Amino acid sequence: MIIKVDYAKTEEHPVQAIELFKVMMRLEFSIKEIGYCKATGNQNASVDWDRFANECLGAVFFDAVKTAGRAVTLIETPPKRQAADGNGHLSWEQTGPVSNIQDLIGSLRRVRNNLFHGGKSGDPDRDRNDALVRNALAVIHDILLRDQDLRMMFEGKY
């Protein structure tokens, strides 16, 4: 007996989700390669997001993103955080409006994490999820325009 698996639900994701995965993958590679890398407890290489946010971007970048209005959803109503209690029951926790560069980068990462780790699979809040993904891509674009070394690494022009 052959059992078939219906993969149709894998197509239920924000329109630009796959683009976001690919862009975030390359962005994280590039950030580590230009020196914003740290070792985790088990010596795995990880992006040093806070140092990158503060040293490479800063308050001026945050203000420019906010003023441009291309990340309104990401800033004013950032993605919720999926949490689990001691019994493994899932819930969503609100996060407050983004007020600084570290919060903005945290929200950007949470958009990707919520999608990648399954928190948004089949989520009925499709319009909001689409807006969050669009906003995340806009912020990444602005980040790449801001730093030439990062952009060159991202583009593979080593």
Side-chain angles (χ1 to χ4, degrees):
M1 175 178 180
I2 297 176
I3 299 173
K4 292 188 178 187
V5 176
D6 181 357
Y7 288 95
K9 292 299 272 183
T10 65
E11 296 302 320
E12 292 182 16
H13 52 73
V15 175
Q16 293 178 290
I18 294 169
E19 179 183 358
L20 180 64
F21 290 147
K22 292 190 293 186
V23 169
M24 281 294 291
M25 173 183 64
R26 191 67 188 177
L27 178 66
E28 288 192 21
F29 160 80
S30 302
I31 291 171
K32 289 188 295 188
E33 287 292 319
I34 66 166
Y36 293 95
C37 181
K38 63 182 178 181
T40 62
N42 55 7
Q43 299 304 307
N44 288 335
S46 177
V47 174
D48 191 343
W49 287 106
D50 287 344
R51 192 165 66 86
F52 171 74
N54 292 323
E55 291 178 9
C56 190
L57 302 174
V60 172
F61 178 82
F62 173 73
D63 291 341
V65 168
K66 192 171 180 179
T67 300
R70 295 186 331 142
V72 173
T73 303
L74 191 64
I75 292 171
E76 293 180 4
T77 56
K80 297 173 186 172
R81 185 176 81 83
Q82 191 173 36
D85 66 16
N87 296 317
H89 296 105
L90 296 173
S91 64
W92 287 101
E93 296 178 350
Q94 291 279 26
T95 58
V98 169
S99 61
N100 59 55
I101 189 60
Q102 284 182 249
D103 289 349
L104 178 63
I105 297 302
S107 290
L108 170 71
R109 293 171 52 213
R110 197 173 316 108
V111 171
R112 186 268 324 267
N113 291 346
N114 286 349
L115 290 169
F116 188 78
H117 296 294
K120 293 296 182 174
S121 183
D123 187 349
D125 200 7
R126 187 164 187 83
D127 291 341
R128 176 173 154 69
N129 292 336
D130 284 341
L132 286 167
V133 169
R134 278 192 314 274
N135 285 193
L137 286 166
V139 169
I140 293 168
H141 182 76
D142 290 347
I143 289 169
L144 292 170
L145 291 177
R146 179 161 180 97
D147 188 284
Q148 182 178 355
D149 292 337
L150 179 66
R151 186 175 61 256
M152 298 298 279
M153 188 62 66
F154 183 91
E155 293 174 347
K157 299 175 182 172
Y158 314 122

